[in-house]
Amino acid sequence: VALRAAGVHHVVLVGPVPHWIGSLPQQLFNYIRKHRTDPVPTRMNQGLSPEAFRIDKLMAAMGRRLGVEYISPCAILGNQEGFLVRTGDTADSLIVYDSSHLTVSGSKYLVSRFPYF
């Protein structure tokens, strides 16, 4: 409301990214420890906290209620195979460096999939 009163006509609300219990590197370590002969996954569901998905739904509803556009990083990063954990084959290609803070690689990947870029 305050933004519209200030003359801002197009407001975009961006939701949370998936949240990993502990950290994404820890979850990948756990996966590799259990699946020693498998390649490092590109997508995973193991080790995700449900909290970000709960918040995502609440924020989407808030966006509808306020009449603003909502972008869901959870929807962008996830598909039927799981949630993206890396964009390449090197350590600097991880999407997040802890539980939910995007790396440079993760930020570039996510924002490049926003409808405006």
Side-chain angles (χ1 to χ4, degrees), residues 26-104:
Q26 181 64 50
Q27 292 302 327
L28 283 169
F29 175 77
N30 293 343
Y31 179 90
I32 292 166
R33 196 172 60 201
K34 291 178 185 175
H35 305 93
R36 293 185 189 272
T37 60
D38 292 350
V40 176
T42 302
R43 295 182 172 275
M44 269 185 7
N45 285 316
Q46 167 188 321
L48 281 167
S49 168
E51 187 64 11
F53 306 109
R54 186 185 70 76
I55 293 169
D56 183 60
K57 288 179 183 175
L58 291 172
M59 289 183 71
M62 180 174 59
R64 286 189 299 275
R65 191 171 59 253
L66 295 173
V68 301
E69 184 174 355
Y70 181 69
I71 297 176
S72 171
C74 289
I76 292 170
L77 297 174
N79 68 20
Q80 67 279 1
E81 297 171 19
F83 288 85
L84 193 67
V85 297
R86 60 187 177 92
T87 59
D89 293 327
T90 59
D92 65 345
S93 71
L94 290 180
I95 292 291
V96 298
Y97 63 85
D98 57 6
S99 62
S100 62
H101 293 94
L102 292 170
T103 60
V104 171

